[in-house]
Amino acid sequence: MKTDLNTLLTTLYVHLDDRIIPALGFSRRGRPGRPPALTDIELLCLVVAQHLLGIASDRKWIRYANTYLRPMFPNLPQQSGWGKRVRQATGLLSAVITELGRDTPSWGEITRLIDSTPVPCGKSRETVKRSDLAGHAGYGYCASHSRYFWGFRLYLVCTPDGMPVVWGLANPKIGEREAAQAMLRHDRHLIQQGQVIIGDKGFAGREFEGFITDELGAHLIRPDRKDEKKRFGKLGGIRQWVESVFDTLKGQLTLEDHGGRTIPGLYSRVAGRLLALAAGIWHNWLLGTPNKRSLIAYDH
């Protein structure tokens, strides 16, 4: 197989139709009304294509898809219909991310990475006051860029090659340990006994480490603080793995330009980008490419 977008979309379509959608038990049979002209499998493939191509605007995406992808997807909706379908499919997007992860060899690895990154949702005071996200989003500080932001933090647990395992959004005012603990408790079935979770110093805390060990049966490894005995060292090289995952999300996959103005819209846009990341890594495993997280071959 070739490393290009058309091959990825074709392979993904077949895999969704043959294994993932039947495994999830997802079907529109028995639902009221006529089934949509654009099938759910086509919707998933188009979401992947949009974000791998780095087109953040739905308006520009629909115009691009009508120009270049209509032979493959003849039932493209208008912009408003597209946004509505994607928002309604957030749960399906998340489920497919998990299934794609299960179909990659890295899913069985013992190592997991955990970290968080800012997801800004507004840059002006007027936006903060008028946004439908008010009351959910909050102000936070991004230490890596030395800046304040208004929005959410994306918490991500992934494999060393970047495949998403568990993810969630939280108000930046909530502590990292508290947000991560709530997320991991909700999706504890995705953490296996004996796995090693590598985080940064922000996850240092007796209660959180006890939760990882006692409730999840896993092990937390993090860089040593200056005021404690040496245990694991600085872990600088390993910590760069998850930082490079966030670089991919914010670079080619345009995470910070998500354009979400409501909670459902924000979640669907973040899920779409994580699905694109998962699809690219899954396809790279099929092809045996050396860098499984590299998505450059799919950006044109």
Side-chain angles (χ1 to χ4, degrees):
M1 290 189 293
K2 297 180 180 179
T3 310
D4 59 63
L5 183 59
N6 286 342
T7 304
L8 184 151
L9 294 179
T10 303
T11 309
L12 178 62
Y13 185 99
V14 174
H15 191 60
L16 290 169
D17 193 33
D18 287 350
R19 196 205 76 77
I20 292 183
I21 297 301
L24 293 174
F26 183 83
S27 175
R28 288 190 174 270
R29 293 179 181 177
R31 297 189 182 185
R34 293 189 304 173
L38 184 73
T39 68
D40 293 294
I41 295 177
E42 290 174 329
L43 177 73
L44 292 167
C45 291
L46 284 169
V47 168
V48 169
Q50 176 183 4
H51 297 304
L52 286 178
L53 290 168
I55 304 176
S57 166
D58 285 350
R59 177 178 56 83
K60 293 181 179 179
W61 164 244
I62 292 299
R63 186 169 58 193
Y64 177 94
N66 276 311
T67 303
Y68 298 104
L69 300 179
R70 185 164 285 279
M72 296 177 64
F73 304 96
N75 298 312
L76 287 167
Q78 298 299 316
Q79 179 184 341
S80 59
W82 169 258
K84 182 178 180 180
R85 285 290 306 279
V86 174
R87 288 191 297 273
Q88 291 174 343
T90 303
L92 180 60
L93 295 175
S94 298
V96 171
I97 291 170
T98 301
E99 292 303 312
L100 285 175
R102 294 184 192 277
D103 291 339
T104 58
S106 60
W107 187 266
E109 291 189 11
I110 194 173
T111 305
R112 293 290 185 265
L113 310 175
I114 184 171
D115 204 354
S116 68
T117 190
V119 181
C121 297
K123 297 182 179 180
S124 69
R125 181 60 185 164
E126 287 301 313
T127 300
V128 172
K129 291 193 297 183
R130 297 179 180 180
S131 174
D132 288 338
L133 298 173
H136 302 282
Y139 285 100
Y141 182 73
C142 177
S144 59
H145 294 89
S146 301
R147 65 177 182 179
Y148 290 93
F149 68 95
W150 183 81
F152 293 84
R153 293 194 74 91
L154 169 64
Y155 287 82
L156 178 66
V157 177
C158 65
T159 61
D161 60 11
M163 177 63 74
V165 177
V166 183
W167 67 278
L169 296 170
N171 189 306
K173 294 182 179 179
I174 301 175
E176 279 192 315
R177 295 187 298 274
E178 291 79 4
Q181 184 169 331
M183 179 185 71
L184 290 170
R185 179 174 284 122
H186 182 269
D187 290 325
R188 61 192 308 161
H189 62 285
L190 297 175
I191 303 298
Q192 304 300 319
Q193 290 272 343
Q195 285 186 328
V196 176
I197 302 175
I198 302 177
D200 61 16
K201 293 180 183 179
F203 296 102
R206 184 176 301 175
E207 181 180 347
F208 183 69
E209 292 189 27
F211 163 76
I212 295 293
T213 303
D214 300 334
E215 292 196 34
L216 300 184
H219 308 282
L220 178 67
I221 293 180
R222 57 170 177 76
D224 297 330
R225 295 183 305 190
K226 294 181 179 180
D227 59 348
E228 64 182 0
K229 296 180 179 179
K230 290 185 177 181
R231 295 194 299 170
F232 308 115
K234 296 183 178 181
L235 304 178
I238 299 177
R239 294 291 309 137
Q240 287 299 316
W241 295 350
V242 70
E243 293 297 337
S244 62
V245 174
F246 288 142
D247 285 344
T248 300
L249 284 170
K250 294 189 174 185
Q252 180 175 342
L253 301 180
T254 66
L255 177 63
E256 292 193 345
D257 297 322
H258 55 80
R261 295 181 177 87
T262 64
I263 291 295
L266 176 62
Y267 266 89
S268 65
R269 284 164 168 79
V270 174
R273 285 160 172 83
L274 291 172
L275 175 61
L277 176 65
I281 294 173
W282 167 79
H283 194 249
N284 286 339
W285 272 105
L286 287 181
L287 298 178
T289 57
N291 188 352
K292 303 299 186 294
R293 198 188 61 260
S294 176
L295 308 180
I296 297 176
Y298 311 116
D299 67 352
H300 56 280

